[in-house]
């Protein structure tokens, strides 16, 4: 077993909690908790690890460290992006963060939940330097729901 599973199982045994109790407190499925406790989930997401750690009344930071969850590097727009208005900058930064979090997969379909609620700027090839890019309303982007593994 890994250090994470040992850490989580020791807390589970110490607190005398069932899988269902941990799952309910962490707001995840019992299967997700079982997979974490048994080491089945090889790359759990930070939110799930923290939720389970909180349910077990142990350090979320230590659990995340043991899980080997890597935080995405902060994203800064290049200097050339100064031409964008604050709303456009916010949308782009949000999209890049979501791409980093989701491993490069961004859902734009209707099956995802939640809405970004902003338009996306379309930068057309051939736009002269210093000109404002044309803006069109794009389909509303929806972030991917987190998965329990």
């Amino acid at each position: 077993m890994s250090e994470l599973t040992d850490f989580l199982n020791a807390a589970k045994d110490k607190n005398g909690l069932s899988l269902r109790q941990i799952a309910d407190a962490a707001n995840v499925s019992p299967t997700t908790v079982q997979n974490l406790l048994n080491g089945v989930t090889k790359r759990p997401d930070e939110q799930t690890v923290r939720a389970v750690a909180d349910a077990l009344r142990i350090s979320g930071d230590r659990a995340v460290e043991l899980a080997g969850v890597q935080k995405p590097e902060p994203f800064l727009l290049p200097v050339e992006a100064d031409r964008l208005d604050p709303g456009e900058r916010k949308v782009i930064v949000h999209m890049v963060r979501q791409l980093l979090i989701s491993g490069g997969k961004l859902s734009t379909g209707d099956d995802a939940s939640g809405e970004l609620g902003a338009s996306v700027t379309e930068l057309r090839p051939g736009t002269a330097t210093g000109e404002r890019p044309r803006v069109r309303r794009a389909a509303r982007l929806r972030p991917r729901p987190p998965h329990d593994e």
Side-chain angles (χ1 to χ4, degrees), residues 17-34:
L17 298 171
S18 70
L19 286 176
R20 172 64 66 190
Q21 290 171 318
I22 298 166
D24 288 346
N27 199 26
V28 297
S29 72
T31 304
T32 297
V33 175
Q34 184 175 23

